[in-house]
Amino acid sequence: MIENIWTGFLGLLTVGNFVFILLGMMIGIIFGALPGLTATMAVALFTPITFGMEAETGILMLLAMYCGATYGGSITAILLKTPGTPASAATALDGYALTQKGHAGKALEMALYASTIGGLASAAILLLVAPQLARLATAFGPPEFFALALFGLTIIGSMSGDNILKGLIMGALGMLVSCIGIDKITGVPRMTFGHAYLAGGLQLIPVLIGLFAIAELLRKIEHRDFRVEKLEEFSSKDRLERSEKRGSMRTILKSSVIGTVIGAIPGTGAAIASFLSYSEAKRSSKAPQEFGRGSVEGIAASEAGNNGVTGATLIPLLTLGIPGDAVTAILLGSLMIQGIIPGPQLFTQHSAMVYTIMVGLIFVNLAMYLEGRFLLRLFVKITKVPMNFMIPVILLLCITGAYAVNNTFFDVVVMLIFGIVGYVFTRFGFPVTPMLLAIILGPMAEEGMRQSLIMSGGSASIFFKRPICLLFLVISAASIAWHLVREYLPAKKGPEK
């Protein structure tokens, strides 16, 4: 093991590798920060450029884009409440609140700090225990995916603010929206109303941009909120204190592990890891009431969780030849074009290259920290641009991002509709985050449940006969019970005071 790691380190030490890592990181941060331009899009667009490079150099450049875009989504989520990627939606909950309090620099620094540690932890686990985690991933079937999605949906309780009923209503609406399109099992159209554009369902990016960015723009226009934030230059007055870093370290490490486990399971993704990490951090926090109001611990949980996915998605790809998400599916194609077939034989046939990539992922995350630190002062200055100038610019970026998903104006219309939906519901105190969470997890829960019942001939006992599935069901029940107790006890104790 040590010899292979050393060989991989030596293989990494070329000028070309470092130059293209830095270049890929910058491209990734830009793509992640612009709403709608995701890591998948960045990697897909630049993959052809890597065909003429050495295999290690090309893959490391694409991985740098992947990590950079995952982190970059937090920038606009914090500064403008416009998540650049679905994985940064949870970051917007506390990041934007800190920006409104005049602490944009602190929020951005925590996002970078947590993202780097999450990415490094994921890369280290990839390097040391990839085969063991790959075997865990293979144990996941439809029942396990259903139980995982069900557990994720229990987070709605912690995302509902002071009124769980309103959160549940929004979650139910999100589940309903996730059913739009052709049923993948029976092939029957559902709620398409005869429109071909609805046959494929609603794309997540336009819905995300609408619920957060467009709704926020409408609120600013309504209140004529065109003021310029009075922020100091990025200095020691707006920096993370050592006590805040130490206080968040436990959350960062726990969220990194959650992100790594979720990332190693094919078909999940950074958005799920981010929300799960955020919910767990709120549950175990000494100050859960601060979450959603500007908690640095909330930012730490979300960013460590979604960046913990980046290295873990390579685990099933390299060891089993199974891509963990859309980005690694593109990486699979890139490797195969280079004549490299991922799978069990990869570590024996191309061990030097594999370890160069895995060691290189550690340097990719270090490069992310260095470039992020360099750009922090520039990011903070965005909040000083007058909002009457920013609103049309943000709107243009949102339209461009929504259109770029499928190159169709239908997605722009979807974005605008959900912008109005988000604006109207928040006016009446309904949180939009549970709706987004249900839209993300709804398809996984439905498909997992239906496929499981087909496997068992209609018997629900299949969910209780598989250990991993049963574990998630028990955790889900415990999570629901905890939320009920938390809501019930204050009501019970109130009159006694």
Side-chain angles (χ1 to χ4, degrees):
M1 172 68 77
I2 295 177
E3 182 180 351
N4 288 329
I5 293 175
W6 178 248
T7 301
F9 175 74
L10 294 178
L12 178 68
L13 299 179
T14 67
V15 175
N17 284 342
F18 288 109
V19 169
F20 284 106
I21 284 175
L22 294 173
L23 177 62
M25 181 59 62
M26 182 61 68
I27 293 171
I29 291 175
I30 293 172
F31 268 74
L34 296 177
L37 303 185
T38 60
T40 304
M41 189 176 296
V43 173
L45 286 175
F46 286 89
T47 290
I49 298 176
T50 65
F51 293 160
M53 302 178 184
E54 293 291 330
E56 299 94 328
T57 304
I59 296 300
L60 286 172
M61 178 181 176
L62 297 178
L63 285 176
M65 292 182 191
Y66 182 20
C67 295
T70 303
Y71 156 68
S74 68
I75 298 168
T76 43
I78 290 170
L79 298 177
L80 306 171
K81 202 179 181 181
T82 306
T85 63
S88 56
T91 305
L93 300 176
D94 289 286
Y96 187 67
L98 275 174
T99 296
Q100 290 183 309
K101 293 178 180 179
H103 296 298
K106 178 177 291 189
L108 288 169
E109 190 175 3
M110 175 53 81
L112 178 61
Y113 180 68
S115 295
T116 303
I117 295 177
L120 287 172
S122 182
I125 292 173
L126 167 68
L127 188 62
L128 299 175
V129 295
Q132 290 76 13
L133 281 180
R135 283 194 287 271
L136 173 64
T138 59
F140 270 71
E144 285 75 22
F145 279 113
F146 166 73
L148 175 62
L150 183 65
F151 171 56
L153 289 170
T154 63
I155 298 173
I156 287 176
S158 63
M159 297 288 180
S160 300
D162 298 328
N163 194 318
I164 289 184
L165 178 60
K166 289 183 177 180
L168 292 175
I169 291 173
M170 294 301 288
L173 286 175
M175 293 288 286
L176 186 65
V177 169
S178 72
C179 292
I180 295 175
I182 300 292
D183 184 352
K184 294 182 180 179
I185 295 179
T186 64
V188 175
R190 302 187 300 188
M191 294 183 289
T192 61
F193 306 103
H195 290 284
Y197 283 118
L198 290 173
L202 298 181
Q203 298 296 318
L204 179 60
I205 295 298
V207 173
L208 168 71
I209 295 174
L211 287 176
F212 284 88
I214 301 300
E216 182 64 25
L217 290 181
L218 291 174
R219 282 191 291 272
K220 287 187 177 295
I221 293 172
E222 177 196 13
H223 299 295
R224 300 183 183 275
D225 187 8
F226 301 144
R227 69 185 184 277
V228 180
E229 300 289 348
K230 296 180 180 180
L231 300 179
E232 300 291 335
E233 292 293 329
F234 189 72
S235 65
S236 58
K237 296 180 180 179
D238 194 27
R239 298 285 294 272
L240 277 177
E241 299 177 4
R242 289 184 178 180
S243 60
E244 291 174 317
K245 290 183 178 180
R246 289 196 301 268
S248 299
M249 182 55 66
R250 179 171 172 269
T251 294
I252 292 174
L253 294 177
K254 182 165 53 175
S255 300
S256 299
V257 173
I258 292 173
T260 300
V261 173
I262 295 298
I265 302 170
T268 50
I272 296 174
S274 176
F275 279 112
L276 286 175
S277 299
Y278 185 89
S279 176
E280 171 56 26
K282 183 177 180 180
R283 185 197 64 79
S284 59
S285 174
K286 296 179 180 178
Q289 70 279 0
E290 294 297 321
F291 279 65
R293 301 175 182 176
S295 168
V296 292
E297 191 178 356
I299 298 173
S302 172
E303 288 302 302
N306 61 35
N307 282 269
V309 168
T310 54
T313 53
L314 295 179
I315 293 172
L317 173 68
L318 296 178
T319 59
L320 303 172
I322 302 172
D325 61 3
V327 175
T328 49
I330 300 171
L331 291 176
L332 173 62
S334 301
L335 287 169
M336 294 179 71
I337 289 174
Q338 297 278 4
I340 301 166
I341 309 299
Q345 302 301 318
L346 183 63
F347 283 79
T348 55
Q349 296 176 352
H350 302 280
S351 62
M353 186 210 67
V354 173
Y355 278 95
T356 296
I357 292 173
M358 292 194 296
V359 173
L361 188 59
I362 294 175
F363 283 84
V364 163
N365 284 280
L366 293 176
M368 179 174 71
Y369 183 78
L370 293 175
E371 289 194 19
R373 292 291 302 180
F374 177 75
L375 295 171
L376 277 180
R377 290 177 175 83
L378 177 62
F379 295 153
V380 173
K381 292 182 183 296
I382 294 176
T383 59
K384 297 188 175 184
V385 179
M387 190 53 65
N388 56 334
F389 292 119
M390 284 297 293
I391 287 177
V393 173
I394 295 172
L395 180 61
L396 179 61
L397 290 175
C398 291
I399 292 173
T400 303
Y403 179 81
V405 175
N406 286 317
N407 294 328
T408 172
F409 280 106
F410 175 77
D411 288 325
V412 177
V413 174
V414 171
M415 175 195 73
L416 295 175
I417 290 174
F418 275 90
I420 296 172
V421 169
Y423 167 73
V424 171
F425 274 106
T426 51
R427 279 290 305 270
F428 292 96
F430 288 83
V432 296
T433 306
M435 184 177 188
L436 177 66
L437 184 63
I439 292 173
I440 293 172
L441 293 174
M444 181 189 296
E446 182 192 8
E447 291 176 26
M449 182 185 69
R450 293 174 67 185
Q451 290 173 356
S452 299
L453 293 177
I454 291 173
M455 290 168 56
S456 66
S459 173
S461 62
I462 189 173
F463 299 114
F464 304 97
K465 293 179 179 179
R466 300 166 70 114
I468 296 178
C469 182
L470 181 59
L471 174 63
F472 276 118
L473 291 177
V474 170
I475 296 175
S476 299
S479 177
I480 294 172
W482 180 80
H483 286 301
L484 291 175
V485 169
R486 188 186 65 174
E487 291 295 315
Y488 174 70
L489 287 181
K492 183 177 178 180
K493 293 180 181 179
E496 298 177 1
K497 291 183 179 180

